[in-house]
Amino acid sequence: MFLTISTTGTAARPATDLGYLLHKHPDKAQAFSTSHGTAHVFYPEADAERCTAALLLEIDPVALVRRGRGKGRGGAPDAALAQYVNDRPYAASSLLAVALSNVFSSALRGVCAARPERAAAPLPLRVEVPALPARGGPELVRRLFAPLGWTVTADPVPLDTAFPEWGDSRYVRLLLESERLTLAEALRHLYVLLPVLDDAKHYWVSADEVDKLLRAGEGWLAGHPEQQLITSRYLSRRWSLTRQARERLELVRLAEADDSEVEDIDNAVADETETEEKPTPLAVLRREAILAALGTSGAARVLDLGCGQGQLTQALLKDARYTEIVGVDVSQRALAIASRRLKLDRMGERQAARVKLVQGSLVYTDQRLRGYDAAVLSEVVEHVDPPRLPALEYAVFGHARPRTVVVTTPNAEYNVRWESLPAGHVRHGDHRFEWTREEFRAWAAAVAERYGYEAVFTSVGPDDPEVGPPTQMATFTISSEREAKAA
């Protein structure tokens, strides 16, 4: 991805002041690591008459897949091609907008201690983006930028110059020119409108994206004729966030019309009565879903397989319905932490009789695990190398054979919603794979068929209409039909 920002000047007001405003020296080529690749800043030209700063964002889809060990999101054979063949390295998108905010954060805020008067004054600016996805075509590009004081040139890029009859692609070559804007205003326009034109975000859009939009849109978004389209696309058409953004923008518009502060208008409720709830952590939602499944099963004796540091074991111990709880993990260190969490050394005799922590590997059969009502594999299977999964399946479903087995695992499709997770990566460095919903259901159905269980699937966490929930869960119960035949 490539973008240039140019300005002109005189001997008295040299164009090289652009380096001060961007906080990047014209004589240096600098590289900055981002969550999606490496951002390079350099100056193809820098003298008193003309100065150009270039931002090159280097995205390598092959490296992204390899760093994710070829697994996780897009690791399935039928999805692998899209991981390698895409426009991420070449076309401006939300990834470039994120790089802009990271690399030019001070310039976005209009902060420049060395040249404060230049930061506050309009500049002759020329912005070029060679390849910009534009869902809506050149006309939408003009409708978005022209009201902000830009002279817009958006030339469509043909699909193939050798075959003009194929028509134009969805990309344009963008040239923006203005002498009415400050550099900070220009950067904020780009930060918002690049992902709007791409009409896609490569990370999860959470509630704080509304604040980012309003900060970057301060002074121009409230009165923009395409405000509705901008807010909807920037917030990935999440109607609740879009509505929140529009309500706050309307307050800004009313305040400007009334020549007053937003706080003076939005004063119906006192600050001390604010009761906004924080979202429930995914780990808590996962435990609640597991406990609900176990409660429905009627289990009393439960195995927490791969118990880790004992969070689920601790939650089970608080419920008197569970008369025996066994936490199993291959890591002695994890078991030591779980023991401290449960306070086993200070636990009363009756309570201590209900819980036990044992070291063991889940890929080997273990006589100690037979005869229990239920077993839980919470965020465990993805830590097992795929060639060893059949051994785990037999050890749990074939040998230990509890009446109920609850399995949770990440939904790989949801990974695109995590802003902090680089594309192609799995959620944890020890994950050997992460399944899509289709892959997980296929695995669960095969295990159920092989060992005489029936599987029911549950979504855990917010269920995104496009990519599903962050966690997927299957509850296996021994097939009544198979059980009747055995009897």
Side-chain angles (χ1 to χ4, degrees):
M1 303 180 196
F2 191 66
L3 175 149
T4 60
I5 303 171
S6 303
T7 189
T8 56
T10 63
R13 299 173 70 85
T16 49
D17 281 352
L18 182 64
Y20 289 103
L21 302 182
L22 291 174
H23 298 261
K24 302 293 180 287
H25 199 288
D27 292 339
K28 296 180 181 178
Q30 297 173 268
F32 304 86
S33 179
T34 75
S35 57
H36 307 290
T38 303
H40 302 270
V41 178
F42 56 95
Y43 289 77
E45 55 183 346
D47 55 42
E49 289 75 30
R50 183 176 176 84
C51 184
T52 297
L55 174 63
L56 172 67
L57 181 58
E58 193 174 23
I59 299 290
D60 185 352
V62 175
L64 289 177
V65 175
R66 286 176 177 168
R67 281 198 292 271
R69 300 177 183 173
K71 303 156 187 168
R73 181 169 66 85
D78 60 344
L81 187 60
Q83 288 296 298
Y84 290 96
V85 183
N86 54 63
D87 66 355
R88 282 182 300 183
Y90 317 108
S93 68
S94 61
L95 299 181
L96 185 60
V98 171
L100 273 173
S101 67
N102 290 342
V103 176
F104 300 136
S105 57
S106 296
L108 266 166
R109 300 194 308 273
V111 175
C112 182
R115 297 287 190 276
E117 74 288 347
R118 295 284 269 164
L123 294 175
L125 292 171
R126 178 186 175 96
V127 176
E128 295 181 74
V129 184
L132 174 66
R135 296 184 187 275
E139 179 55 34
L140 178 60
V141 178
R142 297 185 187 95
R143 282 170 25 215
L144 293 180
F145 282 101
L148 301 176
W150 292 102
T151 300
V152 183
T153 303
D155 297 324
V157 176
L159 277 172
D160 193 321
T161 54
F163 300 95
E165 65 273 15
W166 289 0
D168 296 327
S169 69
R170 69 183 185 95
Y171 303 93
V172 299
R173 296 184 184 91
L174 176 65
L175 169 61
L176 302 173
E177 296 176 291
S178 176
E179 296 190 359
R180 299 162 44 189
L181 300 169
T182 66
L183 178 63
E185 290 172 332
L187 292 174
R188 289 199 292 267
H189 296 166
L190 293 168
Y191 176 76
V192 173
L193 297 180
L194 289 182
V196 167
L197 284 165
D198 188 22
D199 198 15
K201 284 210 167 182
H202 298 275
Y203 54 82
W204 171 235
V205 176
S206 57
D208 64 350
E209 289 293 303
V210 175
D211 295 326
K212 295 178 185 177
L213 172 62
L214 296 184
R215 281 197 302 269
E218 183 178 358
W220 63 271
L221 182 55
H224 198 291
E226 298 293 340
Q227 179 208 112
Q228 184 171 343
L229 179 142
I230 292 169
T231 54
S232 177
R233 284 194 178 190
Y234 184 89
L235 298 168
S236 295
R237 293 182 172 82
R238 295 190 61 190
W239 68 267
S240 59
L241 298 182
T242 302
R243 182 182 63 184
Q244 179 185 341
R246 289 175 186 165
E247 288 172 351
R248 290 170 62 179
L249 287 167
E250 179 62 14
L251 283 173
V252 172
R253 189 190 67 78
L254 291 173
E256 290 176 348
D258 198 40
D259 195 23
S260 59
E261 298 295 326
V262 171
E263 292 77 9
D264 296 333
I265 294 178
D266 189 23
N267 60 1
V269 181
D271 291 341
E272 57 268 20
T273 64
E274 183 63 41
T275 56
E276 182 179 350
E277 296 183 4
K278 294 182 179 179
T280 304
L282 181 57
V284 174
L285 295 175
R286 190 184 301 124
R287 282 198 295 275
E288 290 175 349
I290 293 169
L291 293 172
L294 292 175
T296 302
S297 74
R301 303 173 67 238
V302 180
L303 298 167
D304 183 4
L305 303 177
C307 65
Q309 299 179 11
Q311 292 94 331
L312 178 61
T313 300
Q314 184 180 46
L316 291 167
L317 195 57
K318 293 177 180 178
D319 193 326
R321 287 180 295 181
Y322 303 112
T323 59
E324 185 178 353
I325 306 150
V326 177
V328 182
D329 203 282
V330 72
S331 168
Q332 190 60 50
R333 181 174 179 272
L335 292 173
I337 296 173
S339 178
R340 290 196 297 271
R341 177 187 296 275
L342 298 171
K343 299 181 174 65
L344 290 183
D345 57 338
R346 289 176 279 167
M347 192 176 287
E349 185 177 343
R350 179 177 298 180
Q351 191 79 328
R354 295 175 57 213
V355 63
K356 180 168 56 176
L357 299 177
V358 299
Q359 185 178 23
S361 172
L362 302 182
V363 297
Y364 298 105
T365 58
D366 191 333
Q367 285 295 128
R368 296 174 298 175
L369 308 184
R370 289 178 64 88
Y372 285 83
D373 301 325
V376 178
L377 291 158
S378 178
E379 309 300 287
V380 170
V381 293
E382 64 273 11
H383 291 271
V384 179
D385 286 314
R388 307 192 78 184
L389 267 180
L392 178 143
E393 295 162 10
Y394 176 73
V396 175
F397 294 91
H399 183 76
R401 199 163 179 77
R403 292 185 57 83
T404 300
V405 181
V406 180
V407 178
T408 73
T409 190
N411 168 22
E413 296 168 78
Y414 195 89
N415 289 352
V416 296
R417 300 304 192 215
W418 300 112
E419 180 176 355
S420 59
L421 183 66
H425 280 227
V426 291
R427 297 186 198 176
H428 188 280
D430 190 52
H431 286 187
R432 303 306 198 260
F433 60 87
E434 285 175 1
W435 279 322
T436 64
R437 287 170 290 174
E438 182 179 352
E439 290 168 335
F440 178 58
R441 286 174 178 260
W443 173 82
V447 169
E449 173 65 25
R450 192 177 304 122
Y451 295 104
Y453 283 78
E454 296 173 346
V456 175
F457 300 94
T458 307
S459 298
V460 180
D463 200 346
D464 186 281
E466 294 181 0
V467 297
T471 296
Q472 45 193 342
M473 184 174 88
T475 303
F476 299 81
T477 54
I478 291 180
S479 168
S480 55
E481 181 180 344
R482 188 79 64 95
E483 195 174 24
K485 287 182 179 179

